[in-house]
Amino acid sequence: FVVNLASFDTYLQAIITLQLGASEINDKIKMYMPIVRHTIILTLSGKESEQVRTSEGKKELIAELKTKLNKVLDLKEHDGVSDIFFENFVIQ
Protein backbone atom coordinates (compact mmCIF):
# COMPACT_ATOMS: atom_id res chain seq x y z
CA PHE A 1 0.00 0.00 0.00
CA VAL A 2 1.09 3.55 -0.71
CA VAL A 3 -1.09 6.26 0.84
CA ASN A 4 -0.87 9.95 1.61
CA LEU A 5 -0.99 10.48 5.34
CA ALA A 6 -3.55 12.86 6.80
CA SER A 7 -1.36 15.96 6.45
CA PHE A 8 -0.77 15.22 2.70
CA ASP A 9 2.86 16.34 2.93
CA THR A 10 4.06 12.80 3.66
CA TYR A 11 3.19 9.38 2.42
CA LEU A 12 3.36 5.89 3.83
CA GLN A 13 4.45 2.80 1.95
CA ALA A 14 3.60 -0.43 3.75
CA ILE A 15 3.55 -4.11 2.92
CA ILE A 16 1.08 -5.82 5.22
CA THR A 17 0.57 -9.52 5.94
CA LEU A 18 -2.51 -10.79 7.75
CA GLN A 19 -2.31 -13.75 10.11
CA LEU A 20 -5.60 -15.62 10.17
CA GLY A 21 -7.00 -17.56 13.10
CA ALA A 22 -8.44 -20.27 10.84
CA SER A 23 -7.25 -21.37 7.42
CA GLU A 24 -10.78 -21.51 5.96
CA ILE A 25 -11.05 -17.73 6.45
CA ASN A 26 -8.59 -17.29 3.56
CA ASP A 27 -11.42 -17.73 1.03
CA LYS A 28 -13.56 -15.15 2.83
CA ILE A 29 -10.64 -12.68 2.79
CA LYS A 30 -10.27 -13.21 -0.98
CA MET A 31 -14.00 -12.69 -1.53
CA TYR A 32 -13.99 -9.48 0.52
CA MET A 33 -10.60 -8.22 -0.71
CA PRO A 34 -11.93 -4.92 -2.15
CA ILE A 35 -13.50 -4.09 1.24
CA VAL A 36 -10.38 -5.26 3.10
CA ARG A 37 -8.13 -3.06 0.94
CA HIS A 38 -10.53 -0.12 1.26
CA THR A 39 -10.57 -0.44 5.06
CA ILE A 40 -6.77 -0.60 5.24
CA ILE A 41 -6.32 2.39 2.93
CA LEU A 42 -8.82 4.55 4.83
CA THR A 43 -7.25 3.64 8.17
CA LEU A 44 -3.69 4.29 7.03
CA SER A 45 -4.51 7.54 5.22
CA GLY A 46 -6.30 8.88 8.28
CA LYS A 47 -3.10 8.84 10.34
CA GLU A 48 -0.54 11.58 10.92
CA SER A 49 3.10 10.56 10.53
CA GLU A 50 3.72 11.30 14.23
CA GLN A 51 1.07 8.75 15.18
CA VAL A 52 2.77 5.84 13.39
CA ARG A 53 6.49 6.66 13.63
CA THR A 54 6.99 4.99 17.02
CA SER A 55 6.74 1.29 17.78
CA GLU A 56 3.87 2.07 20.17
CA GLY A 57 2.06 3.90 17.36
CA LYS A 58 2.54 0.93 15.05
CA LYS A 59 1.17 -1.43 17.73
CA GLU A 60 -1.90 0.80 18.11
CA LEU A 61 -2.33 0.82 14.32
CA ILE A 62 -2.17 -2.98 14.24
CA ALA A 63 -4.83 -3.23 16.96
CA GLU A 64 -7.06 -0.75 15.11
CA LEU A 65 -6.66 -2.58 11.79
CA LYS A 66 -7.43 -5.97 13.38
CA THR A 67 -10.60 -4.61 14.98
CA LYS A 68 -11.80 -2.93 11.80
CA LEU A 69 -11.00 -5.88 9.52
CA ASN A 70 -12.68 -8.41 11.80
CA LYS A 71 -15.74 -6.15 11.98
CA VAL A 72 -15.88 -5.89 8.17
CA LEU A 73 -15.49 -9.67 7.87
CA ASP A 74 -17.99 -10.26 10.71
CA LEU A 75 -15.49 -12.44 12.57
CA LYS A 76 -14.08 -12.71 16.07
CA GLU A 77 -10.31 -12.20 16.46
CA HIS A 78 -9.59 -15.86 17.26
CA ASP A 79 -11.35 -16.89 14.00
CA GLY A 80 -10.49 -13.95 11.78
CA VAL A 81 -7.46 -11.65 11.58
CA SER A 82 -5.45 -12.62 14.65
CA ASP A 83 -2.36 -10.52 13.90
CA ILE A 84 -0.91 -8.13 11.35
CA PHE A 85 2.71 -7.90 10.31
CA PHE A 86 4.41 -5.01 8.54
CA GLU A 87 6.96 -6.39 6.09
CA ASN A 88 7.81 -2.88 4.95
CA PHE A 89 6.93 0.45 6.56
CA VAL A 90 8.38 3.64 5.09
CA ILE A 91 7.25 7.20 5.81
CA GLN A 92 8.54 9.93 3.49
Side-chain angles (χ1 to χ4, degrees):
F1 294 92
V2 177
V3 298
N4 286 322
L5 293 175
S7 61
F8 286 112
D9 62 344
T10 55
Y11 70 89
L12 168 65
Q13 176 187 18
I15 297 175
I16 298 172
T17 299
L18 306 177
Q19 180 175 315
L20 306 178
S23 60
E24 58 271 7
I25 301 306
N26 193 34
D27 289 335
K28 188 169 188 175
I29 293 279
K30 288 178 183 176
M31 186 170 60
Y32 285 90
M33 188 54 73
I35 297 169
V36 168
R37 291 182 59 83
H38 175 75
T39 301
I40 292 171
I41 289 169
L42 286 182
T43 303
L44 294 176
S45 64
K47 301 295 179 187
E48 296 286 349
S49 63
E50 295 79 26
Q51 291 177 285
V52 293
R53 284 190 191 273
T54 65
S55 60
E56 185 61 35
K58 289 176 184 73
K59 289 176 187 176
E60 290 174 10
L61 178 59
I62 288 169
E64 182 179 353
L65 284 169
K66 283 192 312 188
T67 301
K68 287 182 176 182
L69 291 175
N70 284 323
K71 183 177 179 181
V72 164
L73 297 167
D74 194 30
L75 297 167
K76 303 289 185 215
E77 185 174 325
H78 65 277
D79 293 328
V81 178
S82 60
D83 209 349
I84 295 176
F85 302 100
F86 296 120
E87 294 183 45
N88 186 23
F89 198 93
V90 178
I91 299 172
Q92 289 189 324

